[in-house]
Amino acid sequence: MELTVESLVFLLFSLITLGGALLVVTTRNLFHGALFLMLSLFGVAGLFALLTAPFLAGIQVVVYIGAIAILIIFAIMLTPQVTAVRPTNSQWIAGLVVAVVLFTMLASVVTPLMSELGVEGWGAAFTETNPPPVPGNSIALLGEAFVDPDGYMLPFEVASVLLMAALVGAVMLVRPGPEDEDDALPPALAEAAGAAPLGESQE
Amino acid sequence: MVPLYMYLLVAAGLFSIGLYGVLARRNAVAILMSIELMLNAANINLVAFWRYNEPANVGGQVFAAFVFVVAAAEVAVGLALIINIYRQRRSVVVDDVDMLKW
Amino acid sequence: MTINWFDADYLPWLILFFPLLSFAIIMLFTTSNRTVSHVVALAGIGISWVLSMIEFVKVVWASDAHLGEEVFGSTIDWMTLGTTTFRMGVLVDPLTAYMLLMVPLTCLLIFIYSLGYMRDDPHNSRFFAYISLFAGAMLTLVLADNLLMLFVGWEVMGLCSYLLIGFWFHKKSAMQAGVKAFMTTRVADVLMLVGIGYLFIEAGTLNFRDILYNEEILHTLSDPAISPGVLFGGSVAAIVGILLVIGTIGKSSQFPLHVWLPDAMEGPTPVSAMIHAATMVSAGVYMLVRMFPLLSAGANFHHGEFSAPMILMGLVGGFTALFAGVLAVGQNDIKRILAYSTISQLGFMVAALGIGAWVAAAFHLINHAFFKALLFMASGVVIHSMEHGEHHAHELGVPHHPHPEPDGLVMDYVAPANDVRRMGGLLHRIPLTAITMGIGGLSLAGFPLITAGFWSKDEIIADAWHGTGAGYPLALFVLIMLALAALLTAFYTARMWFMTFAGAPRTASAAHAGIGTFRNRWVNSRWAEALRLEGVEVTRQDATSAAQMEIPLVILAFFAIFAGFIGVHTDFPLLGALDNPLHEFLGGTLLEHPTALDLDGLPVLLSVVIALGGLGLGWWLYGRRPLAESDLDPTEQALGAGVWRALQNRFYIDLLYRRYLLRPAEWFATTVVIQAIDKETIDGVLETIAESFIWLGEALKRFNTVVIDGVGDGIPRAIGDFAGWFRQIQTGRIQQYLLFVTLGLLAIGTLFLLQVL
């Protein structure tokens, strides 16, 4: 890989993405984690831009960083267990091993490394470097495709219904019941909580 | 341009990091954030394959956009569930929510 | 084909059907409701009575020219055995018609009477079911056209008799009396069934008309040369006849099987009236009348030749008549007097058959049924009245009867309410009953000219007289026995009536006896006043009950007088103008028409003397100066204490049976059959077999426990243990699940990469 401006920019965004992600899963402070998530998502937006998908890059910033991440920050604020003595559970080593093995497996499949090492028939080496250019009016084509009856109009409408359903469902779930307006624990559950100590005591 | 496998490699890394987060973190919100990372990894793959193989076809971008939609919905419902569980059990640690067992 | 059910050929089926239907309905559906049960029972017997009257009238009309020639009947196939088909059928000939005149009417009256008598009984419905069944069985017997069907009715009546004697089964004596009656008659019934079977083998049929109206068969059966019997060198007819007579000896309670009837008085009084006076005990005589051609087959009795069954009948009947008459004199229980009287009168009939006077026997049968039912029902009113008195006397503080009620049958025990010594003066309490009972008693005693009993008894004595005149020893025997018996009959009847009704009350119970509600102003005013002074209320309920009981008495009293006039001899002065329709009518029943004897003045005179003599003696001893409270019974005085006690104990015959028949039988049953055969031999073998099977079972049980249960329980226990261990992977922790899912994905991916898949 020659060292061009484009490749330097790619490396920069890649580092932002992966580094942010690593910090998300390792930081003790959940609020910091959310901020790192925003960083990582911003890196992904950069990668989209590099791939000449400016519309998606914009959406990434607006929807993910602007909406989802903010939503997560709200959730963190509403559930006051922001910092944890022990952020990981008892199986974290197994999870790490599984993640590393998965990464190794995927990497060996998508990179030409194995064929360079002389192993035949191992995955597919995605070595394309010069794809055809993107049409100039790709955003316009995308917009038309969403509303074209022969294109993606039906999935588009279904997606809107899904969003509506999710919205209503979320409202229903968090709406306080008449008996727990002051966030008090119902007596039965308080007993259960007393009998089986919850997470805080372990942290 | 940068070879395709470089993007795929970044996506694989992002996915693996997300997987580790899902498997290892105790806090439900952290797990949710890790899931977001995995979704983004999938999105990178979708866009990269679109760009290198079928730039004339808008399908790749459309699917990426649908992933956004699903991710948004998932976050909204997931966070609502977490808040509800927190109200009921005063905890967002998933290990504490283990009533569905033998 | 349409059947006109009122055709005389089919009507008899309905006559016997309705009481049986009543029985079924009451037993199955209405036992809990006594009123409905009463209605059903009365409807059954009532319809039966109406149909019987229609049938009777039809028979009389149809046989206008030759009374008794016509016969109605119909048959259906019953069962086919090999080449023989038993046929079940009804037959109405003059004899049956004559019975139909009496049986349903008496039954109906007794049903009505029972409404009153059994009013306070808790098992009222059951009682009416039984008597309905009984009425149906009696009608079956009367209407049957063959000996087997007759026997069916005969046996069902035996069952009803048993059930009804023991109706108050909580009384041990009633229970024992029922068993006694059943077992005693059983001895006779078995022999009778043997006779029926033997007759069927020899004759090939049991149909009355096929046997009795077929001179050829009768001749064949009765000639020892053609068909020798299996015993004693007698003919088949003789052996069959003797066995049938034995059946009657049991059923009609003749010596020596008479012991059950006095104890049968433990049953309710309507039962005594219906079964043990009017119908069932008469059924034995009816059967003999019916079978008379067979019994007399081969013997020309008009000329002094008597067949073996006839000699048996003459001896048994004559002896029983006198024997039971003597016993009746020595009884103090009002019902037991009547019971012995019944035995005695049945002896008259059997003896009459023995000398060939079967028309007289049938005549006396019907008359006796009427007046004896009347007497029994009247005695029931007396007993009711006395029980009422006992109750009141007790309330007024008079000590109870000194003798406690014994547990079980005791020969000389008399229930206080039945004891004639404790009565007296009841004429003023129950005048209607006293009058009707007097009429019945006069009829029983044979009071000359105006009572039914006189005419039938006179006819029997006339026949015996005639035979004696011709020089037949059997007839002489019968004449002497019956003449003496008739004298005693008149005497004990007078004794019973005077002791019960005449004079002043001898006990407080009699003084306070319940009053009949005959609406006589004289009685009502005088005695109601007396009762009011004593503070006793007479309720309206008592009135209905007594009316239900007393009205049938009046109807029967009518028949006790007028039923006799159909049989008055043609040549008799004045009354002979009635032309003796009975003789012609009944005479047509049999093949050989009997010829009416010439009227002879001497036997009539004898009858008159006997009846008036007996009654006069009774009046002299008991009526002239009625017994006072402290008087000793004049008869007892005259006979002496020893004889009197023997009479009270029924000449110790029951004791004899108990000691020399029952006890050995019991010993045999207990020691030989139960102990030696059953317990030791049979039980021993069975126990050995049983024990070996128990041992085998134990072995199998152990095999089962160890091997089969071990395997059977082991498999599920292993599965359970494994599941208990394996279910622990269900931790409920989603991240652990997810880890496994990922590991699985990695494994699948690895397989893909290694190109295994």
Side-chain angles (χ1 to χ4, degrees), chain B residues 1-83:
Chain B
M1 284 179 76
V2 180
L4 174 57
Y5 64 80
M6 288 305 285
Y7 287 100
L8 300 184
L9 203 56
V10 171
L14 193 57
F15 187 87
S16 297
I17 291 165
L19 179 64
Y20 167 74
V22 167
L23 290 180
R25 294 301 296 253
R26 300 177 77 221
N27 194 303
V29 181
I31 291 170
L32 209 57
M33 291 195 295
S34 303
I35 290 171
E36 294 305 320
L37 293 178
M38 291 162 85
L39 284 168
N40 272 281
N43 255 4
I44 291 172
N45 270 15
L46 285 171
V47 177
F49 279 118
W50 162 75
R51 178 65 191 89
Y52 282 85
N53 291 344
E54 292 277 348
N57 193 336
V58 295
Q61 289 199 71
V62 167
F63 268 88
F66 282 135
V67 174
F68 285 136
V69 171
V70 173
E74 172 251 323
V75 166
V77 177
L79 288 173
L81 281 171
I82 287 164
I83 289 170

Side-chain angles (χ1 to χ4, degrees), chain A residues 154-179:
Chain A
L154 184 62
F156 183 73
E157 296 298 337
V158 172
S160 66
V161 173
L162 172 70
L163 280 172
M164 174 62 79
L167 183 68
V168 173
V171 170
M172 286 299 294
L173 278 173
V174 296
R175 195 180 60 163
E179 72 280 359

Side-chain angles (χ1 to χ4, degrees), chain C residues 168-491:
Chain C
W168 289 318
F169 52 81
H170 46 81
K171 260 170 71 186
K172 196 174 176 197
S173 57
M175 185 268 284
Q176 287 179 339
V179 173
K180 188 173 181 181
F182 200 64
M183 295 312 291
T184 311
T185 50
R186 188 94 359 254
V187 173
D189 291 351
V190 168
L191 291 172
M192 180 182 169
L193 187 59
V194 170
I196 292 172
Y198 190 38
L199 178 62
F200 180 70
I201 292 168
E202 294 295 332
T205 177
L206 290 174
N207 190 287
F208 294 141
R209 293 197 81 77
D210 290 351
I211 298 173
L212 306 177
Y213 296 78
N214 190 328
E215 291 207 50
E216 205 177 324
I217 283 193
L218 285 177
H219 182 67
T220 312
L221 288 177
S222 64
D223 193 340
I226 301 174
S227 60
V230 288
L231 288 171
F232 313 128
S235 67
V236 172
I239 291 171
V240 170
I242 286 171
L243 290 169
L244 293 180
V245 171
I246 290 173
T248 294
I249 286 174
K251 204 62 155 184
S252 292
S253 191
Q254 298 295 290
F255 183 84
L257 296 179
H258 66 282
V259 291
W260 65 271
L261 190 61
D263 289 322
M265 297 302 124
E266 291 286 340
T269 303
V271 171
S272 309
M274 179 158 79
I275 299 183
H276 306 120
T279 52
M280 188 183 82
V281 291
S282 306
V285 177
Y286 166 77
M287 191 269 288
L288 291 185
V289 174
R290 171 65 73 199
M291 300 306 289
F292 188 73
L294 183 71
L295 300 177
S296 63
N300 188 353
F301 59 86
H302 295 304
H303 298 97
E305 292 174 31
F306 296 103
S307 65
M310 289 178 76
I311 295 170
L312 180 65
M313 286 190 286
L315 293 177
V316 168
F319 179 72
T320 308
L322 181 59
F323 171 79
V326 171
L327 280 176
V329 171
Q331 300 300 319
N332 288 323
D333 184 321
I334 188 169
K335 280 178 77 180
R336 228 173 267 162
I337 295 171
L338 292 171
Y340 278 112
S341 162
T342 304
I343 296 173
S344 170
Q345 296 301 307
L346 290 165
F348 272 72
M349 299 169 211
V350 175
L353 283 163
I355 55 171
W358 67 268
V359 173
F363 187 29
H364 194 52
L365 189 160
I366 300 293
N367 293 345
H368 170 256
F370 281 129
F371 62 68
K372 192 51 69 66
L374 165 60
L375 286 169
F376 264 113
M377 286 155 78
S379 79
V381 178
V382 169
I383 292 166
H384 241 217
S385 178
M386 281 297 287
E387 278 171 353
H388 195 257
E390 292 277 335
H391 188 66
H392 271 291
H394 188 58
E395 276 182 356
L396 294 171
V398 178
H400 234 254
H401 190 57
H403 304 298
E405 195 171 333
D407 186 31
L409 281 177
V410 171
M411 291 303 112
D412 52 357
Y413 171 74
V414 182
N418 293 12
D419 195 339
V420 287
R421 287 169 303 183
R422 295 169 54 78
M423 299 178 186
L426 290 179
L427 173 64
H428 303 298
R429 313 291 286 195
I430 39 177
L432 184 64
T433 303
I435 292 162
T436 48
M437 196 167 184
I439 293 170
L442 289 177
S443 198
L444 170 62
F447 190 79
L449 302 181
I450 58 166
T451 60
F454 170 74
W455 297 112
S456 50
K457 215 180 277 184
D458 172 56
E459 198 170 333
I460 294 173
I461 287 177
D463 270 297
W465 180 274
H466 181 80
T468 310
Y472 311 146
L474 185 68
L476 178 65
F477 171 77
V478 167
L479 179 67
I480 293 169
M481 294 306 250
L482 293 196
L484 290 174
L487 186 71
L488 288 173
T489 304
F491 174 67

Side-chain angles (χ1 to χ4, degrees), chain B residues 22 25 31 94 100-102, chain C residues 728 730-733 735 738:
Chain B
V22 167
R25 294 301 296 253
I31 291 170
V94 287
L100 198 67
K101 64 178 177 185
W102 71 83
Chain C
Q728 290 178 16
Q730 295 283 337
T731 57
R733 295 161 66 173
Q735 284 172 307
L738 198 59

Side-chain angles (χ1 to χ4, degrees), chain A residues 73-164:
Chain A
I73 286 170
F74 268 107
I76 289 165
M77 292 306 190
L78 285 170
T79 57
Q81 282 179 321
V82 177
T83 47
V85 180
R86 201 157 56 82
T88 53
N89 59 19
S90 55
Q91 62 170 18
W92 71 273
I93 296 173
L96 184 62
V97 171
V98 165
V100 170
V101 169
L102 181 69
F103 176 73
T104 314
M105 196 183 282
L106 288 173
S108 71
V109 170
V110 298
T111 59
L113 185 70
M114 291 305 279
S115 52
E116 284 172 14
L117 287 173
V119 181
E120 288 300 319
W122 189 276
F126 299 100
T127 52
E128 294 97 333
T129 48
N130 286 310
V134 176
N137 57 348
S138 70
I139 293 174
L141 288 173
L142 184 62
E144 281 174 13
F146 273 132
V147 294
D148 183 2
D150 298 328
Y152 297 92
M153 194 180 85
L154 184 62
F156 183 73
E157 296 298 337
V158 172
S160 66
V161 173
L162 172 70
L163 280 172
M164 174 62 79

